[in-house]
Amino acid sequence: AVPVVEYYNAALDHYFITWMQDEIAKLDAGDVTKGWARTGRSFHAYVAAQSGTSPVYRFYIPPASGNSHFYGRDAAECDATAADHPDFLLEAAAFMHMFVPSEGACAANTQPIYRVYDNRADANHRYVTDTATRDQMVARGWVAEGDGPDRVVMCGPK
């Protein structure tokens, strides 16, 4: 498992996550990709398939639709995303590997990951591990996405 690091760009009011060391280096340096700062938050993911995991797709959302990224948790969600948004660019069909929750519940030894959507023209999503942050984002007008009463979108290794 690798840490997936969260970044925030205040000028855009956008969040971004990655585990890729080259992206992390560029974001931390700030000379190529400007305005991004680590939030101090992270979670773990697998970079290769593990028993019971699902590939997480990474789409780039072009500037006309948000200039952001979307991480789909399984083939069904990704196929639907591609069909609904043909302008989205599929960057990776297996960016990372996570577990899909069962009726909103994560298996033992996994951690829930919550996804919230800003519900704005400049579409952005945030992926967090705690309900307090998720609830703060919802109170700001973001929409909780996922399964079950807690709206869990995927489950990661602890």
Side-chain angles (χ1 to χ4, degrees), residues 7-59:
Y7 288 85
Y8 178 67
N9 185 310
L12 299 173
D13 190 23
H14 278 196
Y15 292 88
F16 177 72
I17 57 170
T18 187
W19 62 266
M20 297 177 65
Q21 290 304 309
D22 63 327
E23 289 182 338
I24 289 170
K26 287 176 184 173
L27 291 163
D28 286 345
D31 51 0
V32 175
T33 308
K34 300 184 184 308
W36 294 93
R38 289 185 187 222
T39 65
R41 296 176 180 273
S42 66
F43 57 87
H44 286 91
Y46 295 113
V47 296
Q50 306 290 311
S51 178
T53 63
S54 175
V56 174
Y57 293 51
R58 182 164 109 168
F59 286 95

Side-chain angles (χ1 to χ4, degrees), residues 25-98:
K26 287 176 184 173
L27 291 163
D28 286 345
D31 51 0
V32 175
T33 308
K34 300 184 184 308
W36 294 93
R38 289 185 187 222
T39 65
R41 296 176 180 273
S42 66
F43 57 87
H44 286 91
Y46 295 113
V47 296
Q50 306 290 311
S51 178
T53 63
S54 175
V56 174
Y57 293 51
R58 182 164 109 168
F59 286 95
Y60 172 65
I61 304 171
S65 300
N67 194 21
S68 185
H69 287 82
F70 174 75
Y71 301 84
R73 67 183 178 178
D74 59 19
E77 182 174 63
C78 293
D79 290 347
T81 299
D84 291 345
H85 304 280
D87 60 322
F88 286 16
L89 174 66
L90 178 62
E91 289 186 333
F95 180 73
M96 58 189 173
H97 296 265
M98 303 290 269

Side-chain angles (χ1 to χ4, degrees), residues 71 73 77 99-106 111-117 125-135 137-138 142-155:
Y71 301 84
R73 67 183 178 178
E77 182 174 63
F99 300 96
V100 176
S102 175
E103 297 179 16
C106 291
Q111 176 179 34
I113 308 295
Y114 307 99
R115 181 175 67 207
V116 290
Y117 165 62
H125 295 80
R126 186 176 187 191
Y127 300 81
V128 299
T129 59
D130 63 289
T131 55
T133 302
R134 180 209 54 206
D135 293 347
M137 301 305 290
V138 169
W142 291 55
V143 178
E145 300 178 330
D147 300 333
D150 284 336
R151 311 299 288 172
V152 176
V153 76
M154 54 188 140
C155 308

